[in-house]
Amino acid sequence: MARKLSTETWSTSLLDSELGPPPEPDRAGVLGGGSVPRGQRGAIGVETSSFTGGDSDVSGLAVALFARVPFVEHTFLDVRVPFGLAMDERTDAVLGNVMLGAHHVGRVGRTLWLTVGGAVGLATLSGQTHNHDSYEPVGASRAYWDLHEYFPSILPVHARLGAEAHVGPLIARAQIEPVLYIPLGRNEEYEIAIQHAAELQIGHGIGGGVRVQGMAMPTFENVGIRHAVARNLYVLALEPFLAMEREAAFVRAGLLLPLDEELGPPLDHTWGFHFTAGVRTD
């Protein structure tokens, strides 16, 4: 019996040396088909956000079709096609600035991932003949996050830096995204916006959490295109959310609550509903 055990142990050791140790199991099921978290994988989907003014008849709806297409390992090509609908005395529909870009997700250690990337707009909105006042409720529907998608007469250049960490059932995310507004047409003013956010989620496959986002617009006080953001150069918002991440699809819904003086207080002056859903492409 001792000889048999010794032979089995020797055979197992030889197999390990040839094939390497067995892969570590994905206990939480968060990595899906590779070493990228499910929420960072390739996808095709839709993102919507709505805005309702509590003391007025103004409302807005933003809809963005997006795709993250795997290009090379952990690198994705990005496309966003934004549409908007603003309603007050009349209803205006608009095609926003289409964004094309790419990003890379790198793993740092066992539980941390960093994302770096960027995008350039096609200035689609600059060629349209709408009254630019009608774009403001559409941008307000996300508390001015991604305002460049609905800002006229610019060519936007968008940089992205993000981080995601997993600690047991907790997921922590952070992002900072500066955007340069290059003027076009009659607009002669360069502007810069710095959008940033942090969120904490409990649960991987099905979870919930809270997101805090800020939109800093330090140069917009003398913005070349008249816009409501010139009255408030920093917009803060809170978003409690629920999310479900599966191997083939995902969905997330949140209630966007602006906290600043211009759009807030939450549930009194304005509020928004934020919804994202899609399917995987990898």
Side-chain angles (χ1 to χ4, degrees), residues 41-44 68-70 76 279-282:
R41 288 174 52 197
I44 296 175
R68 300 190 298 264
V69 181
F76 303 83
V279 296
R280 307 292 181 200
T281 59
D282 57 356

Side-chain angles (χ1 to χ4, degrees), residues 79-248:
V79 180
R80 280 181 63 89
V81 182
F83 301 90
L85 191 66
M87 292 155 281
D88 45 24
E89 293 87 3
R90 66 177 190 275
T91 299
D92 288 312
V94 63
L95 170 64
N97 295 316
V98 176
M99 304 295 296
L100 303 177
H103 73 278
H104 178 79
V105 181
R107 189 170 188 173
V108 181
R110 297 168 61 86
T111 60
L112 176 65
W113 291 263
L114 298 180
T115 300
V116 61
V120 177
L122 298 184
T124 323
L125 190 56
S126 299
Q128 301 177 58
T129 58
H130 298 73
N131 180 350
H132 67 258
D133 292 351
S134 66
Y135 309 150
E136 295 185 10
V138 181
S141 67
R142 289 198 64 191
Y144 297 127
W145 187 273
D146 285 337
L147 175 65
H148 57 278
E149 293 183 350
Y150 300 102
F151 203 90
S153 301
I154 63 164
L155 189 153
V157 179
H158 181 193
R160 296 175 53 195
L161 179 63
E164 179 170 331
H166 295 182
V167 182
L170 298 179
I171 304 175
R173 303 183 182 97
Q175 59 193 119
I176 182 167
E177 304 181 356
V179 185
L180 176 64
Y181 292 51
I182 299 175
L184 296 176
R186 291 179 294 174
N187 182 18
E188 298 179 353
E189 298 291 335
Y190 285 82
E191 309 294 346
I192 187 168
I194 305 172
Q195 49 192 48
H196 48 283
E199 63 183 48
L200 185 65
Q201 177 179 328
I202 302 176
H204 291 275
I206 299 177
V210 63
R211 168 186 170 93
V212 180
Q213 71 176 46
M215 184 70 172
M217 297 163 284
T219 66
F220 277 69
E221 186 172 4
N222 297 312
V223 64
I225 298 294
R226 188 181 68 81
H227 198 285
V229 294
R231 300 192 296 266
N232 187 6
L233 304 183
Y234 189 85
V235 179
L236 182 67
L238 183 73
E239 181 187 347
F241 65 87
L242 296 174
M244 182 174 65
E245 294 277 357
R246 291 306 190 208
E247 188 66 22

